[in-house]
Each structure stands twice: as structure tokens, then as C-alpha cells.
PDB file of all heavy atoms in Angstrom:
ATOM      1  N   GLU A   1     -20.565  79.661  83.866  1.00 74.00           N
ATOM      2  CA  GLU A   1     -19.322  80.434  83.955  1.00 74.00           C
ATOM      3  C   GLU A   1     -18.144  79.554  84.338  1.00 74.00           C
ATOM      4  O   GLU A   1     -17.022  79.752  83.856  1.00 74.00           O
ATOM      5  CB  GLU A   1     -19.487  81.583  84.960  1.00 74.00           C
ATOM      6  CG  GLU A   1     -20.558  82.594  84.573  1.00 74.00           C
ATOM      7  CD  GLU A   1     -20.284  83.239  83.235  1.00 74.00           C
ATOM      8  OE1 GLU A   1     -19.102  83.330  82.819  1.00 74.00           O
ATOM      9  OE2 GLU A   1     -21.232  83.665  82.560  1.00 74.00           O
ATOM     10  N   ARG A   2     -18.414  78.578  85.203  1.00 78.00           N
ATOM     11  CA  ARG A   2     -17.339  77.649  85.559  1.00 78.00           C
ATOM     12  C   ARG A   2     -16.924  76.816  84.347  1.00 78.00           C
ATOM     13  O   ARG A   2     -15.739  76.533  84.146  1.00 78.00           O
ATOM     14  CB  ARG A   2     -17.799  76.752  86.685  1.00 78.00           C
ATOM     15  CG  ARG A   2     -17.853  77.480  88.030  1.00 78.00           C
ATOM     16  CD  ARG A   2     -18.390  76.566  89.109  1.00 78.00           C
ATOM     17  NE  ARG A   2     -18.391  77.276  90.387  1.00 78.00           N
ATOM     18  CZ  ARG A   2     -18.924  76.781  91.509  1.00 78.00           C
ATOM     19  NH1 ARG A   2     -19.503  75.565  91.488  1.00 78.00           N
ATOM     20  NH2 ARG A   2     -18.873  77.488  92.625  1.00 78.00           N
ATOM     21  N   VAL A   3     -17.918  76.426  83.563  1.00 77.00           N
ATOM     22  CA  VAL A   3     -17.585  75.687  82.332  1.00 77.00           C
ATOM     23  C   VAL A   3     -16.738  76.552  81.397  1.00 77.00           C
ATOM     24  O   VAL A   3     -15.759  76.094  80.793  1.00 77.00           O
ATOM     25  CB  VAL A   3     -18.890  75.224  81.649  1.00 77.00           C
ATOM     26  CG1 VAL A   3     -18.590  74.677  80.246  1.00 77.00           C
ATOM     27  CG2 VAL A   3     -19.572  74.155  82.471  1.00 77.00           C
ATOM     28  N   ALA A   4     -17.129  77.844  81.288  1.00 73.00           N
ATOM     29  CA  ALA A   4     -16.341  78.757  80.433  1.00 73.00           C
ATOM     30  C   ALA A   4     -14.918  78.917  80.958  1.00 73.00           C
ATOM     31  O   ALA A   4     -13.957  78.965  80.189  1.00 73.00           O
ATOM     32  CB  ALA A   4     -17.056  80.113  80.356  1.00 73.00           C
ATOM     33  N   ALA A   5     -14.759  79.006  82.281  1.00 75.00           N
ATOM     34  CA  ALA A   5     -13.421  79.126  82.861  1.00 75.00           C
ATOM     35  C   ALA A   5     -12.598  77.883  82.593  1.00 75.00           C
ATOM     36  O   ALA A   5     -11.414  77.957  82.244  1.00 75.00           O
ATOM     37  CB  ALA A   5     -13.540  79.407  84.354  1.00 75.00           C
ATOM     38  N   ARG A   6     -13.265  76.675  82.740  1.00 79.00           N
ATOM     39  CA  ARG A   6     -12.521  75.437  82.480  1.00 79.00           C
ATOM     40  C   ARG A   6     -12.138  75.332  80.999  1.00 79.00           C
ATOM     41  O   ARG A   6     -11.056  74.858  80.657  1.00 79.00           O
ATOM     42  CB  ARG A   6     -13.363  74.245  82.916  1.00 79.00           C
ATOM     43  CG  ARG A   6     -13.392  74.047  84.432  1.00 79.00           C
ATOM     44  CD  ARG A   6     -13.919  72.674  84.789  1.00 79.00           C
ATOM     45  NE  ARG A   6     -15.326  72.508  84.368  1.00 79.00           N
ATOM     46  CZ  ARG A   6     -16.367  72.808  85.129  1.00 79.00           C
ATOM     47  NH1 ARG A   6     -16.175  73.297  86.347  1.00 79.00           N
ATOM     48  NH2 ARG A   6     -17.602  72.611  84.705  1.00 79.00           N
ATOM     49  N   GLU A   7     -13.062  75.774  80.138  1.00 76.00           N
ATOM     50  CA  GLU A   7     -12.719  75.750  78.698  1.00 76.00           C
ATOM     51  C   GLU A   7     -11.538  76.682  78.397  1.00 76.00           C
ATOM     52  O   GLU A   7     -10.668  76.353  77.588  1.00 76.00           O
ATOM     53  CB  GLU A   7     -13.953  76.157  77.892  1.00 76.00           C
ATOM     54  CG  GLU A   7     -15.041  75.102  77.871  1.00 76.00           C
ATOM     55  CD  GLU A   7     -16.240  75.572  77.066  1.00 76.00           C
ATOM     56  OE1 GLU A   7     -16.220  76.745  76.628  1.00 76.00           O
ATOM     57  OE2 GLU A   7     -17.170  74.773  76.865  1.00 76.00           O
ATOM     58  N   ALA A   8     -11.527  77.868  79.053  1.00 73.00           N
ATOM     59  CA  ALA A   8     -10.390  78.782  78.836  1.00 73.00           C
ATOM     60  C   ALA A   8      -9.086  78.167  79.338  1.00 73.00           C
ATOM     61  O   ALA A   8      -8.049  78.263  78.680  1.00 73.00           O
ATOM     62  CB  ALA A   8     -10.662  80.116  79.529  1.00 73.00           C
ATOM     63  N   GLU A   9      -9.161  77.511  80.506  1.00 77.00           N
ATOM     64  CA  GLU A   9      -7.954  76.846  81.021  1.00 77.00           C
ATOM     65  C   GLU A   9      -7.515  75.723  80.098  1.00 77.00           C
ATOM     66  O   GLU A   9      -6.316  75.521  79.864  1.00 77.00           O
ATOM     67  CB  GLU A   9      -8.234  76.313  82.423  1.00 77.00           C
ATOM     68  CG  GLU A   9      -8.409  77.416  83.470  1.00 77.00           C
ATOM     69  CD  GLU A   9      -8.727  76.842  84.831  1.00 77.00           C
ATOM     70  OE1 GLU A   9      -8.984  75.620  84.904  1.00 77.00           O
ATOM     71  OE2 GLU A   9      -8.732  77.610  85.809  1.00 77.00           O
ATOM     72  N   ALA A  10      -8.519  74.985  79.561  1.00 79.00           N
ATOM     73  CA  ALA A  10      -8.171  73.902  78.639  1.00 79.00           C
ATOM     74  C   ALA A  10      -7.529  74.452  77.371  1.00 79.00           C
ATOM     75  O   ALA A  10      -6.575  73.873  76.825  1.00 79.00           O
ATOM     76  CB  ALA A  10      -9.432  73.080  78.306  1.00 79.00           C
ATOM     77  N   GLN A  11      -8.064  75.576  76.879  1.00 76.00           N
ATOM     78  CA  GLN A  11      -7.469  76.199  75.695  1.00 76.00           C
ATOM     79  C   GLN A  11      -6.032  76.642  75.959  1.00 76.00           C
ATOM     80  O   GLN A  11      -5.153  76.489  75.104  1.00 76.00           O
ATOM     81  CB  GLN A  11      -8.324  77.399  75.261  1.00 76.00           C
ATOM     82  CG  GLN A  11      -9.647  77.021  74.616  1.00 76.00           C
ATOM     83  CD  GLN A  11      -9.437  76.343  73.274  1.00 76.00           C
ATOM     84  OE1 GLN A  11      -8.445  76.547  72.584  1.00 76.00           O
ATOM     85  NE2 GLN A  11     -10.408  75.481  72.918  1.00 76.00           N
ATOM     86  N   MET A  12      -5.793  77.187  77.139  1.00 75.00           N
ATOM     87  CA  MET A  12      -4.427  77.602  77.482  1.00 75.00           C
ATOM     88  C   MET A  12      -3.493  76.408  77.576  1.00 75.00           C
ATOM     89  O   MET A  12      -2.344  76.445  77.110  1.00 75.00           O
ATOM     90  CB  MET A  12      -4.441  78.383  78.799  1.00 75.00           C
ATOM     91  CG  MET A  12      -5.127  79.744  78.689  1.00 75.00           C
ATOM     92  SD  MET A  12      -5.077  80.647  80.242  1.00 75.00           S
ATOM     93  CE  MET A  12      -3.327  80.903  80.409  1.00 75.00           C
ATOM     94  N   ALA A  13      -3.979  75.325  78.194  1.00 79.00           N
ATOM     95  CA  ALA A  13      -3.150  74.118  78.277  1.00 79.00           C
ATOM     96  C   ALA A  13      -2.869  73.556  76.891  1.00 79.00           C
ATOM     97  O   ALA A  13      -1.748  73.134  76.568  1.00 79.00           O
ATOM     98  CB  ALA A  13      -3.860  73.069  79.150  1.00 79.00           C
ATOM     99  N   LYS A  14      -3.926  73.551  76.036  1.00 80.00           N
ATOM    100  CA  LYS A  14      -3.750  73.071  74.667  1.00 80.00           C
ATOM    101  C   LYS A  14      -2.759  73.959  73.914  1.00 80.00           C
ATOM    102  O   LYS A  14      -1.934  73.477  73.137  1.00 80.00           O
ATOM    103  CB  LYS A  14      -5.103  73.053  73.975  1.00 80.00           C
ATOM    104  CG  LYS A  14      -5.061  72.473  72.565  1.00 80.00           C
ATOM    105  CD  LYS A  14      -6.452  72.455  71.962  1.00 80.00           C
ATOM    106  CE  LYS A  14      -6.413  71.891  70.544  1.00 80.00           C
ATOM    107  NZ  LYS A  14      -7.782  71.872  69.934  1.00 80.00           N
ATOM    108  N   LEU A  15      -2.871  75.269  74.148  1.00 74.00           N
ATOM    109  CA  LEU A  15      -1.946  76.195  73.494  1.00 74.00           C
ATOM    110  C   LEU A  15      -0.512  75.963  73.960  1.00 74.00           C
ATOM    111  O   LEU A  15       0.419  75.978  73.145  1.00 74.00           O
ATOM    112  CB  LEU A  15      -2.382  77.633  73.794  1.00 74.00           C
ATOM    113  CG  LEU A  15      -1.588  78.745  73.108  1.00 74.00           C
ATOM    114  CD1 LEU A  15      -1.745  78.645  71.598  1.00 74.00           C
ATOM    115  CD2 LEU A  15      -2.039  80.116  73.595  1.00 74.00           C
ATOM    116  N   ARG A  16      -0.339  75.722  75.252  1.00 75.00           N
ATOM    117  CA  ARG A  16       1.017  75.430  75.759  1.00 75.00           C
ATOM    118  C   ARG A  16       1.568  74.153  75.152  1.00 75.00           C
ATOM    119  O   ARG A  16       2.743  74.093  74.755  1.00 75.00           O
ATOM    120  CB  ARG A  16       0.992  75.326  77.281  1.00 75.00           C
ATOM    121  CG  ARG A  16       0.907  76.667  77.993  1.00 75.00           C
ATOM    122  CD  ARG A  16       1.253  76.502  79.466  1.00 75.00           C
ATOM    123  NE  ARG A  16       0.316  75.587  80.136  1.00 75.00           N
ATOM    124  CZ  ARG A  16      -0.808  75.981  80.725  1.00 75.00           C
ATOM    125  NH1 ARG A  16      -1.146  77.267  80.723  1.00 75.00           N
ATOM    126  NH2 ARG A  16      -1.590  75.101  81.325  1.00 75.00           N
ATOM    127  N   SER A  17       0.710  73.118  75.103  1.00 80.00           N
ATOM    128  CA  SER A  17       1.177  71.850  74.522  1.00 80.00           C
ATOM    129  C   SER A  17       1.481  71.977  73.039  1.00 80.00           C
ATOM    130  O   SER A  17       2.324  71.277  72.505  1.00 80.00           O
ATOM    131  CB  SER A  17       0.130  70.755  74.753  1.00 80.00           C
ATOM    132  OG  SER A  17      -1.096  71.108  74.087  1.00 80.00           O
ATOM    133  N   ARG A  18       0.778  72.891  72.349  1.00 76.00           N
ATOM    134  CA  ARG A  18       1.043  73.088  70.924  1.00 76.00           C
ATOM    135  C   ARG A  18       2.271  73.954  70.692  1.00 76.00           C
ATOM    136  O   ARG A  18       3.073  73.694  69.791  1.00 76.00           O
ATOM    137  CB  ARG A  18      -0.168  73.742  70.266  1.00 76.00           C
ATOM    138  CG  ARG A  18      -0.047  73.828  68.731  1.00 76.00           C
ATOM    139  CD  ARG A  18      -1.043  74.791  68.154  1.00 76.00           C
ATOM    140  NE  ARG A  18      -2.400  74.511  68.620  1.00 76.00           N
ATOM    141  CZ  ARG A  18      -3.434  75.312  68.334  1.00 76.00           C
ATOM    142  NH1 ARG A  18      -3.255  76.426  67.629  1.00 76.00           N
ATOM    143  NH2 ARG A  18      -4.650  75.017  68.790  1.00 76.00           N
ATOM    144  N   PHE A  19       2.422  74.997  71.529  1.00 72.00           N
ATOM    145  CA  PHE A  19       3.524  75.931  71.317  1.00 72.00           C
ATOM    146  C   PHE A  19       4.861  75.413  71.825  1.00 72.00           C
ATOM    147  O   PHE A  19       5.905  75.868  71.353  1.00 72.00           O
ATOM    148  CB  PHE A  19       3.218  77.275  71.988  1.00 72.00           C
ATOM    149  CG  PHE A  19       2.284  78.139  71.199  1.00 72.00           C
ATOM    150  CD1 PHE A  19       1.661  79.230  71.778  1.00 72.00           C
ATOM    151  CD2 PHE A  19       2.033  77.864  69.864  1.00 72.00           C
ATOM    152  CE1 PHE A  19       0.803  80.030  71.046  1.00 72.00           C
ATOM    153  CE2 PHE A  19       1.180  78.659  69.133  1.00 72.00           C
ATOM    154  CZ  PHE A  19       0.553  79.747  69.720  1.00 72.00           C
ATOM    155  N   ALA A  20       4.880  74.504  72.771  1.00 77.00           N
ATOM    156  CA  ALA A  20       6.160  74.011  73.315  1.00 77.00           C
ATOM    157  C   ALA A  20       7.025  73.366  72.237  1.00 77.00           C
ATOM    158  O   ALA A  20       8.189  73.738  72.045  1.00 77.00           O
ATOM    159  CB  ALA A  20       5.896  73.063  74.482  1.00 77.00           C
ATOM    160  N   PRO A  21       6.518  72.381  71.487  1.00 81.00           N
ATOM    161  CA  PRO A  21       7.354  71.812  70.413  1.00 81.00           C
ATOM    162  C   PRO A  21       7.627  72.807  69.294  1.00 81.00           C
ATOM    163  O   PRO A  21       8.699  72.794  68.691  1.00 81.00           O
ATOM    164  CB  PRO A  21       6.534  70.617  69.909  1.00 81.00           C
ATOM    165  CG  PRO A  21       5.126  70.915  70.300  1.00 81.00           C
ATOM    166  CD  PRO A  21       5.214  71.691  71.579  1.00 81.00           C
ATOM    167  N   MET A  22       6.611  73.673  69.010  1.00 76.00           N
ATOM    168  CA  MET A  22       6.855  74.680  67.975  1.00 76.00           C
ATOM    169  C   MET A  22       7.969  75.630  68.394  1.00 76.00           C
ATOM    170  O   MET A  22       8.828  75.995  67.572  1.00 76.00           O
ATOM    171  CB  MET A  22       5.570  75.464  67.712  1.00 76.00           C
ATOM    172  CG  MET A  22       4.473  74.651  67.029  1.00 76.00           C
ATOM    173  SD  MET A  22       2.964  75.615  66.773  1.00 76.00           S
ATOM    174  CE  MET A  22       3.565  76.896  65.704  1.00 76.00           C
ATOM    175  N   ALA A  23       7.967  76.006  69.671  1.00 75.00           N
ATOM    176  CA  ALA A  23       9.033  76.893  70.150  1.00 75.00           C
ATOM    177  C   ALA A  23      10.385  76.195  70.104  1.00 75.00           C
ATOM    178  O   ALA A  23      11.401  76.781  69.696  1.00 75.00           O
ATOM    179  CB  ALA A  23       8.721  77.360  71.573  1.00 75.00           C
ATOM    180  N   ALA A  24      10.411  74.921  70.514  1.00 81.00           N
ATOM    181  CA  ALA A  24      11.683  74.180  70.458  1.00 81.00           C
ATOM    182  C   ALA A  24      12.168  74.047  69.028  1.00 81.00           C
ATOM    183  O   ALA A  24      13.364  74.199  68.734  1.00 81.00           O
ATOM    184  CB  ALA A  24      11.497  72.789  71.105  1.00 81.00           C
ATOM    185  N   LEU A  25      11.197  73.720  68.113  1.00 81.00           N
ATOM    186  CA  LEU A  25      11.576  73.617  66.704  1.00 81.00           C
ATOM    187  C   LEU A  25      12.064  74.960  66.166  1.00 81.00           C
ATOM    188  O   LEU A  25      13.057  75.032  65.424  1.00 81.00           O
ATOM    189  CB  LEU A  25      10.374  73.130  65.893  1.00 81.00           C
ATOM    190  CG  LEU A  25      10.611  72.968  64.383  1.00 81.00           C
ATOM    191  CD1 LEU A  25      11.707  71.942  64.131  1.00 81.00           C
ATOM    192  CD2 LEU A  25       9.314  72.559  63.676  1.00 81.00           C
ATOM    193  N   ALA A  26      11.392  76.055  66.552  1.00 77.00           N
ATOM    194  CA  ALA A  26      11.820  77.377  66.097  1.00 77.00           C
ATOM    195  C   ALA A  26      13.200  77.724  66.620  1.00 77.00           C
ATOM    196  O   ALA A  26      14.043  78.278  65.895  1.00 77.00           O
ATOM    197  CB  ALA A  26      10.795  78.425  66.540  1.00 77.00           C
ATOM    198  N   VAL A  27      13.457  77.375  67.889  1.00 80.00           N
ATOM    199  CA  VAL A  27      14.785  77.642  68.455  1.00 80.00           C
ATOM    200  C   VAL A  27      15.847  76.835  67.721  1.00 80.00           C
ATOM    201  O   VAL A  27      16.931  77.330  67.395  1.00 80.00           O
ATOM    202  CB  VAL A  27      14.786  77.329  69.956  1.00 80.00           C
ATOM    203  CG1 VAL A  27      16.206  77.357  70.505  1.00 80.00           C
ATOM    204  CG2 VAL A  27      13.914  78.322  70.710  1.00 80.00           C
ATOM    205  N   ALA A  28      15.521  75.544  67.441  1.00 83.00           N
ATOM    206  CA  ALA A  28      16.488  74.703  66.727  1.00 83.00           C
ATOM    207  C   ALA A  28      16.758  75.245  65.332  1.00 83.00           C
ATOM    208  O   ALA A  28      17.913  75.305  64.871  1.00 83.00           O
ATOM    209  CB  ALA A  28      15.968  73.274  66.656  1.00 83.00           C
ATOM    210  N   ILE A  29      15.666  75.657  64.645  1.00 84.00           N
ATOM    211  CA  ILE A  29      15.852  76.216  63.297  1.00 84.00           C
ATOM    212  C   ILE A  29      16.668  77.508  63.360  1.00 84.00           C
ATOM    213  O   ILE A  29      17.557  77.748  62.532  1.00 84.00           O
ATOM    214  CB  ILE A  29      14.475  76.454  62.646  1.00 84.00           C
ATOM    215  CG1 ILE A  29      13.781  75.123  62.368  1.00 84.00           C
ATOM    216  CG2 ILE A  29      14.628  77.255  61.355  1.00 84.00           C
ATOM    217  CD1 ILE A  29      12.367  75.267  61.845  1.00 84.00           C
ATOM    218  N   ALA A  30      16.368  78.349  64.355  1.00 79.00           N
ATOM    219  CA  ALA A  30      17.120  79.608  64.487  1.00 79.00           C
ATOM    220  C   ALA A  30      18.589  79.344  64.771  1.00 79.00           C
ATOM    221  O   ALA A  30      19.477  79.997  64.210  1.00 79.00           O
ATOM    222  CB  ALA A  30      16.508  80.449  65.602  1.00 79.00           C
ATOM    223  N   VAL A  31      18.872  78.363  65.651  1.00 82.00           N
ATOM    224  CA  VAL A  31      20.264  78.028  65.959  1.00 82.00           C
ATOM    225  C   VAL A  31      20.974  77.504  64.721  1.00 82.00           C
ATOM    226  O   VAL A  31      22.114  77.901  64.410  1.00 82.00           O
ATOM    227  CB  VAL A  31      20.325  77.015  67.117  1.00 82.00           C
ATOM    228  CG1 VAL A  31      21.741  76.481  67.281  1.00 82.00           C
ATOM    229  CG2 VAL A  31      19.849  77.660  68.402  1.00 82.00           C
ATOM    230  N   LEU A  32      20.301  76.573  63.985  1.00 85.00           N
ATOM    231  CA  LEU A  32      20.914  76.040  62.769  1.00 85.00           C
ATOM    232  C   LEU A  32      21.126  77.144  61.729  1.00 85.00           C
ATOM    233  O   LEU A  32      22.173  77.196  61.067  1.00 85.00           O
ATOM    234  CB  LEU A  32      20.036  74.931  62.185  1.00 85.00           C
ATOM    235  CG  LEU A  32      19.961  73.633  63.010  1.00 85.00           C
ATOM    236  CD1 LEU A  32      18.986  72.657  62.365  1.00 85.00           C
ATOM    237  CD2 LEU A  32      21.347  72.995  63.126  1.00 85.00           C
ATOM    238  N   PHE A  33      20.142  78.015  61.607  1.00 78.00           N
ATOM    239  CA  PHE A  33      20.266  79.112  60.658  1.00 78.00           C
ATOM    240  C   PHE A  33      21.397  80.059  61.063  1.00 78.00           C
ATOM    241  O   PHE A  33      22.182  80.520  60.220  1.00 78.00           O
ATOM    242  CB  PHE A  33      18.938  79.861  60.574  1.00 78.00           C
ATOM    243  CG  PHE A  33      18.907  80.915  59.506  1.00 78.00           C
ATOM    244  CD1 PHE A  33      19.071  80.592  58.162  1.00 78.00           C
ATOM    245  CD2 PHE A  33      18.723  82.246  59.844  1.00 78.00           C
ATOM    246  CE1 PHE A  33      19.050  81.569  57.193  1.00 78.00           C
ATOM    247  CE2 PHE A  33      18.708  83.230  58.865  1.00 78.00           C
ATOM    248  CZ  PHE A  33      18.858  82.887  57.543  1.00 78.00           C
ATOM    249  N   ALA A  34      21.506  80.321  62.365  1.00 79.00           N
ATOM    250  CA  ALA A  34      22.592  81.178  62.845  1.00 79.00           C
ATOM    251  C   ALA A  34      23.950  80.532  62.612  1.00 79.00           C
ATOM    252  O   ALA A  34      24.918  81.185  62.201  1.00 79.00           O
ATOM    253  CB  ALA A  34      22.392  81.482  64.330  1.00 79.00           C
ATOM    254  N   LEU A  35      24.024  79.210  62.870  1.00 83.00           N
ATOM    255  CA  LEU A  35      25.285  78.498  62.613  1.00 83.00           C
ATOM    256  C   LEU A  35      25.637  78.524  61.133  1.00 83.00           C
ATOM    257  O   LEU A  35      26.816  78.700  60.762  1.00 83.00           O
ATOM    258  CB  LEU A  35      25.187  77.056  63.111  1.00 83.00           C
ATOM    259  CG  LEU A  35      25.190  76.864  64.627  1.00 83.00           C
ATOM    260  CD1 LEU A  35      24.989  75.396  64.977  1.00 83.00           C
ATOM    261  CD2 LEU A  35      26.508  77.355  65.228  1.00 83.00           C
ATOM    262  N   LEU A  36      24.623  78.341  60.292  1.00 81.00           N
ATOM    263  CA  LEU A  36      24.877  78.381  58.855  1.00 81.00           C
ATOM    264  C   LEU A  36      25.393  79.753  58.432  1.00 81.00           C
ATOM    265  O   LEU A  36      26.379  79.869  57.679  1.00 81.00           O
ATOM    266  CB  LEU A  36      23.594  78.031  58.108  1.00 81.00           C
ATOM    267  CG  LEU A  36      23.682  78.063  56.576  1.00 81.00           C
ATOM    268  CD1 LEU A  36      24.695  77.043  56.079  1.00 81.00           C
ATOM    269  CD2 LEU A  36      22.315  77.804  55.952  1.00 81.00           C
ATOM    270  N   LEU A  37      24.728  80.796  58.903  1.00 73.00           N
ATOM    271  CA  LEU A  37      25.191  82.146  58.575  1.00 73.00           C
ATOM    272  C   LEU A  37      26.583  82.412  59.140  1.00 73.00           C
ATOM    273  O   LEU A  37      27.420  83.047  58.484  1.00 73.00           O
ATOM    274  CB  LEU A  37      24.195  83.173  59.116  1.00 73.00           C
ATOM    275  CG  LEU A  37      22.824  83.219  58.445  1.00 73.00           C
ATOM    276  CD1 LEU A  37      21.932  84.233  59.144  1.00 73.00           C
ATOM    277  CD2 LEU A  37      22.950  83.563  56.967  1.00 73.00           C
ATOM    278  N   TYR A  38      26.816  81.911  60.352  1.00 77.00           N
ATOM    279  CA  TYR A  38      28.131  82.131  60.971  1.00 77.00           C
ATOM    280  C   TYR A  38      29.238  81.435  60.190  1.00 77.00           C
ATOM    281  O   TYR A  38      30.287  82.026  59.924  1.00 77.00           O
ATOM    282  CB  TYR A  38      28.086  81.619  62.406  1.00 77.00           C
ATOM    283  CG  TYR A  38      29.411  81.724  63.128  1.00 77.00           C
ATOM    284  CD1 TYR A  38      29.874  82.949  63.603  1.00 77.00           C
ATOM    285  CD2 TYR A  38      30.197  80.594  63.314  1.00 77.00           C
ATOM    286  CE1 TYR A  38      31.093  83.043  64.249  1.00 77.00           C
ATOM    287  CE2 TYR A  38      31.419  80.689  63.961  1.00 77.00           C
ATOM    288  CZ  TYR A  38      31.866  81.904  64.436  1.00 77.00           C
ATOM    289  OH  TYR A  38      33.071  81.983  65.073  1.00 77.00           O
ATOM    290  N   ARG A  39      28.993  80.178  59.808  1.00 78.00           N
ATOM    291  CA  ARG A  39      30.035  79.420  59.099  1.00 78.00           C
ATOM    292  C   ARG A  39      30.218  79.920  57.670  1.00 78.00           C
ATOM    293  O   ARG A  39      31.337  79.902  57.142  1.00 78.00           O
ATOM    294  CB  ARG A  39      29.693  77.931  59.091  1.00 78.00           C
ATOM    295  CG  ARG A  39      29.805  77.263  60.446  1.00 78.00           C
ATOM    296  CD  ARG A  39      29.479  75.778  60.340  1.00 78.00           C
ATOM    297  NE  ARG A  39      30.406  75.107  59.456  1.00 78.00           N
ATOM    298  CZ  ARG A  39      31.598  74.631  59.797  1.00 78.00           C
ATOM    299  NH1 ARG A  39      32.004  74.777  61.063  1.00 78.00           N
ATOM    300  NH2 ARG A  39      32.384  74.038  58.936  1.00 78.00           N
TER     301      ARG A  39
END
């Protein structure tokens, strides 16, 4: 069970490390898209 808990924590950490750049990229794309629509 401890191994399962550590694996779940590792998956969450991996998910955070994967989603952080994706979120930043999504925010940048959304900002650029909003600027394009605005201009």
C-alpha cells in the first residue's frame, strides 16, 4: 500500500511537471489568440 501511495504521488508529480508547461503554453496561445482577435 505504501508503494501504491508513492506511485500515486509520483503520478501526481509527473502530471504537475507535464501540465505546467502545457498550461503556460495554453495561456500564451490564448493571450496571442485574444490579441489577434482584439487587433
Side-chain angles (χ1 to χ4, degrees):
E1 298 301 333
R2 286 177 178 174
V3 170
R6 284 195 296 270
E7 288 180 355
E9 291 178 351
Q11 287 293 333
M12 291 182 65
K14 184 178 179 180
L15 184 63
R16 284 195 299 270
S17 62
R18 187 196 308 174
F19 281 165
M22 291 179 62
L25 180 61
V27 170
I29 292 175
V31 170
L32 291 176
F33 187 61
L35 288 176
L36 178 62
L37 291 177
Y38 177 76
R39 290 181 61 85

